């Protein structure tokens, strides 16, 4: 029997249909000599600190540096403890039985770093020793799956991919767990610090501070109107109104001026590259206000419906063999809404063709499967059309423009005007390029005299950089905060793309994880969304004040670790060296927090309630926790217990009296509500008390 492990049930179902495993069983599909089972994402995870004996948050435990990382099944939090997820345990038992009985095992998790980790963690945890083949596909179309099965490779070919994934997860554990505990202990309040999360927060806060602290200053320019109906603007700007007024008085008295410079040049604007995931997320956020997470989820759904290629790609390029399929694909009816532009494509542009710039997966493409057969939702149609339109743009001809620049001398002051004329729309025609009227600026020649009808004194204000949106933040994460001009008005695109390619391996996070990082910051209440903007909360600002001068906040340093992980994936760096380096970095980060003179993070509401555990400190109430203000005491009670958020009064009863009255609002695992009293023991552990049934 051949056994296939997919990453999700929906993917397993698609594969099962292709191989003929049409009988649905408990946890797998079976038939035609095949069994296709599945995970639910990560079924196995790195163990928590308590699994290594670190049962309390104490300076003496830090830094926590396990000699060997333990793997445990995914857990669910119940009260103050974590327990194995019953659904996970059941599925692991099914996978183990199938693997042990299998004649051949095939890894069919997502063809990427995390997909490889999902399979290997399960395989290793279950203690399986059988050889494994790898299904590597770029889409879930029938043709792609069949082609993948005809080209199975030994999974050992992807060892470096797994080593990079494993190194990344262990690095996140080391830095995140130690930094979080060190900061929380020193700052005397629960906080969350992460290897990628924290520098991302710093980017958001620094842009916010730049915006709010920006002092807008006025400036003045002079405009001249010509008898040709053209408006000339002074080449210089004046910070002092008096200087501008002198220029205005002189220019307004001038009845004519002389053209001292007349230039015409043609510009070729190359078509944009195909979408990577990050580029798609930025565009969807800018145009439709979609969050990065929403765009990723939609793209994943489109992938599972066989409509687009693998979505978690960091590449904007395709290889030559995929390019060879493009002329035929463009004839597909799915492109009919762009048919006028498609019909102008004689030979698709090869701008997005470069196999050397593809790591795991090529750029986003539609597969040619008709969306009308998949009953897609409106938001899915929006993202699908964006990918479709970008493909037409990317394979279209360049846009050819003529730019006319003129400089006119009027009373000793210089005035300029420029005009852009589209000679050949090319890719700009896909969404409609605006033709400038060629007569908007007459073809003046050098030395020509221009007559004026009047002058204007114009005032402007300097403006700050806007707050980060998810789109601009994704761009900053991609480049470690290095500014790269991506404005649509930019004429020279080569420099921008060259800069992006040079630093693409040094961004923070990956295309697959950046959306999750943003969602984590929102979930931690460090950042809130205000319309399209990302704004730090008071809590986020407090964290920023603590970490802003620390290495954990340095995006470039974090980007260096990402570059090293990419090098491991390519087989260019020894993973042992990376692990050794990250341990030293963890020690440094932990030491920075432990030896910092931190004020308590978010002072909270100080009470006169004596701590029932140490009897020395007093209890403080925070939004998510109540804890002891004594640095050496670990007493704390989380406000939310099984879905019920406790009030200050209820927390007070629990701390002073040792129990509450009967409370409603708790929820069982199946979502059913129940009532109970809460009881606290002498060690601070919380349990439920139920009234006896009469």
């Amino acid at each position: 029997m051949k056994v296939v492990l997919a990453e999700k049930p929906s993917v397993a179902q698609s594969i099962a249909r292709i191989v003929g495993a049409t009988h649905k069983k408990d946890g797998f599909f079976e038939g035609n000599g095949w069994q296709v089972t599945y995970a639910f994402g990560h079924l196995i995870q790195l163990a928590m600190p308590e699994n290594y004996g670190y049962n309390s948050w104490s300076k003496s435990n830090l830094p926590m540096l396990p000699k060997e990382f333990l793997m445990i099944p995914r857990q669910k939090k119940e009260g103050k403890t974590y327990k194995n997820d019953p659904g996970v345990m059941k599925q692991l038992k099914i996978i183990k039985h199938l693997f042990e009985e299998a004649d051949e095992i095939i890894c069919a998790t997502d063809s990427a770093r995390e997909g490889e980790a999902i399979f290997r963690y399960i395989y290793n945890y279950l203690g399986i020793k059988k050889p494994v083949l790898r299904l590597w596909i770029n889409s879930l179309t029938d043709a792609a799956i069949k082609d993948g099965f005809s080209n199975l490779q030994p999974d050992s070919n992807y060892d470096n991919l797994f080593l990079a994934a494993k190194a990344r997860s262990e690095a996140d554990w080391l830095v995140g767990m130690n930094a979080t505990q060190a900061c929380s202990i020193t700052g005397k309040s629960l906080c969350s610090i992460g290897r990628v999360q924290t520098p991302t927060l710093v980017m958001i806060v620094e842009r916010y501070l730049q915006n709010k602290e920006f002092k807008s200053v006025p400036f003045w320019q002079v405009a001249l109107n010509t008898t040709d109906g053209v408006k000339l603007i002074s080449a210089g700007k004046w910070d002092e109104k008096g200087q501008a007024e002198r220029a205005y008085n002189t220019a307004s008295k001038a009845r004519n001026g002389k053209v001292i410079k007349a230039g015409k040049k043609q510009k070729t604007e190359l078509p944009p590259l195909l979408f990577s995931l990050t580029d798609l997320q930025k565009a969807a956020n800018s145009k439709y206000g979609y969050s990065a997470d929403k765009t990723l989820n939609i793209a994943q759904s489109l992938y599972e419906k066989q409509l687009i290629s693998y979505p978690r790609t960091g590449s904007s390029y395709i290889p030559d063999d995929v390019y060879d399929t493009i002329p035929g694909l463009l004839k597909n009816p799915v492109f009919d809404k762009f048919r006028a532009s498609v019909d102008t494509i004689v030979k698709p542009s090869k701008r997005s063709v470069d196999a050397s710039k593809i790591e795991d997966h090529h750029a986003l493409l539609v597969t040619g499967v008709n969306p009308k057969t998949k009953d897609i939702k409106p938001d899915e149609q929006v993202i699908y059309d964006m990918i479709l339109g970008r493909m037409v743009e990317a394979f279209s001809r360049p846009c050819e423009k003529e730019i006319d620049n003129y400089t006119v001398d009027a009373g000793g002051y210089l005035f300029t005007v420029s005009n852009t004329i589209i000679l050949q729309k090319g890719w700009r025609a896909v969404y409609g390029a605006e033709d400038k009227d060629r007569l908007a600026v007459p073809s003046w020649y050098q030395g020509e005299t221009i007559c004026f009808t009047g002058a204007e004194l114009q005032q402007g204000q300097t403006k700050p950089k806007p707050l980060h949106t998810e789109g601009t933040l994704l761009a900053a994460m991609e480049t470690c905060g290095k500014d790269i001009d991506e404005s649509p008005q930019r004429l020279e695109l080569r420099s921008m793309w060259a800069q992006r390619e040079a630093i693409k391996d040094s961004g923070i996070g990956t295309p697959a994880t950046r959306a999750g990082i943003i969602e984590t910051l929102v979930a931690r209440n460090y950042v809130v969304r205000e319309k399209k903007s990302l704004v730090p909360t008071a809590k986020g600002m407090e964290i920023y004040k603590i970490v802003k001068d620390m290495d954990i906040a340095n995006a470039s340093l974090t980007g260096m670790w990402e570059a090293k992980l990419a090098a491991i994936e390519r087989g260019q760096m020894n993973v042992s060296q990376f692990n050794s380096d990250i341990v030293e970095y963890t020690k440094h980060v932990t030491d920075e927090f432990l030896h910092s003179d931190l004020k308590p993070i978010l002072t909270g509401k100080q009470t006169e309630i004596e701590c029932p555990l140490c009897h020395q400190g007093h209890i403080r109430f925070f939004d998510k926790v109540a804890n002891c203000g004594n640095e050496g005491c670990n007493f704390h009670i989380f406000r939310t217990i099984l879905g019920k958020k406790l009030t200050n009064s209820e927390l007070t009863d629990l701390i002073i009296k040792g129990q509450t009255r009967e409370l409603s609002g708790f929820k069982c695992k199946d979502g059913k509500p129940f009532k109970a009293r809460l009881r606290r023991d002498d060690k601070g552990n919380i349990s439920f008390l139920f009234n006896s049934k009469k």
Side-chain angles (χ1 to χ4, degrees):
M1 188 74 72
K2 296 180 180 180
V3 177
V4 180
L5 176 64
E7 190 163 320
K8 299 171 67 175
S10 59
V11 177
Q13 188 171 16
S14 296
I15 293 173
R17 181 173 51 80
I18 296 299
V19 299
T22 56
H23 301 292
K24 180 72 174 74
K25 302 287 185 178
D26 188 11
F28 65 100
F29 300 89
E30 185 176 65
N32 196 33
W34 293 81
Q35 292 171 325
V36 183
T37 187
Y38 44 83
F40 316 107
H42 283 278
L43 298 186
I44 304 298
Q45 65 183 28
L46 295 179
M48 301 298 284
E50 49 266 33
N51 295 104
Y52 301 97
Y54 303 117
N55 294 313
S56 64
W57 287 26
S58 169
K59 286 185 177 180
S60 62
N61 288 337
L62 301 178
M64 301 174 288
L65 303 170
K67 291 183 179 179
E68 184 175 347
F69 281 90
L70 304 176
M71 306 304 299
I72 59 174
R74 192 170 72 208
Q75 298 187 316
K76 295 177 68 174
K77 191 172 184 180
E78 293 186 6
K80 295 175 68 174
T81 62
Y82 287 87
K83 294 184 179 180
N84 290 339
D85 186 319
V88 168
M89 299 307 296
K90 177 183 177 182
Q91 191 63 14
L92 284 172
K93 184 177 180 180
I94 291 170
I95 295 171
K96 181 178 177 65
H97 173 74
L98 295 178
F99 277 6
E100 287 177 340
E101 298 297 317
D103 298 316
E104 188 175 279
I105 298 174
I106 298 170
C107 169
T109 49
D110 279 358
S111 305
R113 188 192 288 178
E114 286 307 303
E116 192 66 27
I118 286 171
F119 176 85
R120 299 280 187 113
Y121 280 159
I122 293 172
Y123 178 86
N124 294 336
Y125 177 80
L126 296 178
I128 307 300
K129 302 297 182 183
K130 296 179 179 181
V132 177
L133 294 173
R134 195 23 156 139
L135 175 72
W136 193 272
I137 54 179
N138 279 300
S139 75
L140 287 175
T141 62
D142 293 1
I145 295 173
K146 289 175 182 177
D147 185 59
F149 274 109
S150 65
N151 291 284
L152 295 172
Q153 300 292 317
D155 197 42
S156 57
N157 290 358
Y158 301 91
D159 284 350
N160 288 334
L161 194 66
F162 170 63
L163 290 174
K166 184 172 182 288
R168 193 276 309 159
S169 62
E170 292 175 359
D172 285 350
W173 192 100
L174 286 169
V175 177
M177 291 292 185
N178 283 289
T180 292
Q181 290 199 19
C183 184
S184 299
I185 291 169
T186 310
K188 300 178 182 179
S189 182
L190 185 65
C191 65
S192 174
I193 305 294
R195 185 180 65 87
V196 179
Q197 167 190 316
T198 299
T200 304
L201 172 64
V202 168
M203 285 181 178
I204 295 170
V205 175
E206 288 184 342
R207 176 61 67 85
Y208 174 82
L209 293 176
Q210 289 171 10
N211 182 278
K212 297 306 176 186
E213 295 172 359
F214 182 84
K215 301 299 182 184
S216 181
V217 295
F219 63 87
W220 288 265
Q221 285 183 288
V222 178
L224 278 175
N225 297 310
T226 74
T227 54
D228 297 316
V230 176
K231 179 172 285 190
L232 299 164
I233 302 295
S234 56
K237 296 179 182 179
W238 291 276
D239 296 332
E240 295 182 10
K241 188 176 182 181
Q243 293 177 331
E245 287 176 335
R246 285 193 292 273
Y248 166 75
N249 291 333
T250 300
S252 62
K253 294 175 183 177
R255 295 184 178 181
N256 55 60
K258 182 174 290 188
V259 178
I260 63 172
K261 184 178 179 181
K264 290 180 180 286
K265 60 179 179 180
Q266 290 194 1
K267 288 282 187 179
T268 297
E269 190 176 15
L270 298 176
L273 295 174
L274 294 164
F275 275 137
S276 65
L277 173 61
T278 300
D279 288 334
L280 176 66
Q281 289 169 317
K282 289 189 294 184
N285 178 255
S286 175
K287 193 169 184 179
Y288 300 105
Y290 288 6
S291 71
D293 189 58
K294 178 176 181 176
T295 300
L296 173 58
N297 289 334
I298 291 173
Q300 180 67 27
S301 177
L302 292 172
Y303 169 69
E304 292 175 17
K305 291 178 178 179
Q306 305 180 336
L307 297 174
I308 66 170
S309 59
Y310 185 71
R312 290 175 169 82
T313 175
S315 179
S316 298
Y317 295 89
I318 57 173
D320 287 285
D321 61 331
V322 174
Y323 173 77
D324 291 340
T325 68
I326 296 302
L329 182 58
L330 291 174
K331 296 176 182 177
N332 192 294
V334 299
F335 285 93
D336 282 351
K337 62 182 62 182
F338 296 103
R339 184 55 56 194
S341 294
V342 171
D343 287 344
T344 67
I345 300 175
V346 179
K347 182 179 180 181
S349 167
K350 297 194 74 171
R351 173 162 162 70
S352 294
V353 182
D354 191 339
S356 69
K357 295 178 179 177
I358 302 170
E359 293 291 339
D360 297 329
H361 293 277
H362 60 62
L364 283 164
L365 299 175
V366 301
T367 61
V369 173
N370 195 326
K372 294 179 180 178
T373 66
K374 299 296 181 178
D375 190 29
I376 68 173
K377 301 173 183 176
D379 284 344
E380 292 176 332
Q381 186 70 56
V382 167
I383 297 299
Y384 181 83
D385 287 346
M386 288 183 69
I387 298 171
L388 201 69
R390 175 53 65 91
M391 286 179 64
V392 180
E393 288 181 318
F395 295 120
S396 294
R397 292 175 296 177
C399 176
E400 301 292 346
K401 299 180 177 181
E402 179 184 276
I403 301 176
D404 301 338
N405 291 295
Y406 300 98
T407 302
V408 177
D409 184 319
Y413 290 96
L414 299 182
F415 293 79
T416 63
V417 66
S418 65
N419 188 45
T420 299
I421 301 165
I422 296 178
L423 304 175
Q424 183 183 88
K425 292 182 179 180
W427 68 272
R428 285 287 189 188
V430 176
Y431 286 105
E434 180 184 348
D435 275 316
K436 295 289 183 72
D437 186 353
R438 180 176 288 274
L439 296 178
V441 177
S443 295
W444 295 330
Y445 58 86
Q446 189 167 330
E448 183 175 357
T449 298
I450 307 300
C451 296
F452 308 133
T453 61
E456 302 171 30
L457 183 62
Q458 299 180 338
Q459 180 179 341
Q461 295 284 137
T462 57
K463 296 180 180 180
K465 285 186 176 181
L467 299 177
H468 268 310
T469 64
E470 290 196 41
T472 61
L473 180 63
L474 287 169
M477 294 174 76
E478 191 177 33
T479 62
C480 286
K482 296 179 177 66
D483 287 332
I484 293 178
D485 184 2
E486 295 195 59
S487 63
Q489 292 78 23
R490 186 181 177 98
L491 295 173
E492 291 288 354
L493 298 178
R494 293 180 187 273
S495 175
M496 179 188 78
W497 291 111
Q499 290 179 69
R500 285 186 56 186
E501 284 303 309
I503 60 178
K504 69 182 179 70
D505 283 341
S506 300
I508 61 174
T510 67
T513 61
R514 288 172 189 143
I517 293 297
I518 296 172
E519 292 304 316
T520 295
L521 290 173
V522 173
R524 302 283 189 215
N525 193 34
Y526 291 167
V527 173
V528 294
R529 292 183 174 97
E530 291 187 1
K531 297 182 178 178
K532 285 188 177 183
S533 298
L534 294 170
V535 179
T537 62
K539 190 173 184 180
M541 293 294 293
E542 290 291 332
I543 298 295
Y544 168 76
K545 291 175 185 177
I546 291 168
V547 304
K548 63 179 180 178
D549 296 321
M550 296 182 177
D551 282 346
I552 189 71
N554 189 320
S556 294
L557 187 58
T558 303
M560 177 197 73
W561 293 114
E562 296 295 345
K564 289 184 176 183
L565 289 169
I568 292 172
E569 192 171 318
R570 292 192 294 265
Q572 297 170 346
M573 182 175 184
N574 185 287
V575 71
S576 297
Q577 182 61 53
F578 176 90
N579 291 338
S580 176
D581 291 345
I582 206 72
V583 165
E584 292 305 311
Y585 177 67
T586 299
K587 292 177 181 177
H588 169 69
V589 167
T590 305
D591 191 64
E592 275 196 300
F593 280 113
L594 293 180
H595 292 87
S596 295
D597 183 22
L598 301 185
K599 295 179 180 179
I601 304 170
L602 297 178
T603 54
K605 182 180 179 181
Q606 185 72 43
T607 72
E608 296 301 318
I609 302 172
E610 181 182 281
C611 175
L613 198 60
C614 71
H615 302 289
Q616 296 178 7
H618 291 86
I619 300 301
R620 299 171 304 172
F621 289 155
F622 295 90
D623 182 56
K624 294 185 178 181
V625 70
N627 65 13
C628 177
N630 181 12
E631 181 177 345
C633 181
N634 191 42
F635 178 81
H636 64 278
I637 298 174
F638 290 107
R639 271 194 187 272
T640 302
I641 299 175
L642 290 188
K644 166 71 175 177
K645 187 169 184 178
L646 303 179
T647 64
N648 286 352
S649 175
E650 291 161 350
L651 282 169
T652 299
D653 286 345
L654 189 56
I655 295 167
I656 295 178
K657 300 177 182 178
Q659 70 176 43
T660 67
R661 60 181 174 80
E662 186 178 60
L663 304 174
S664 59
F666 299 107
K667 290 184 179 180
C668 298
K669 294 178 183 178
D670 59 6
K672 293 182 179 179
F674 68 91
K675 297 179 180 179
R677 287 177 290 155
L678 294 176
R679 179 172 63 182
R680 173 189 57 78
D681 65 21
D682 293 337
K683 294 182 179 180
N685 298 314
I686 307 299
S687 59
F688 291 98
L689 288 175
F690 299 95
N691 291 338
S692 300
K693 293 183 179 180
K694 296 181 181 180

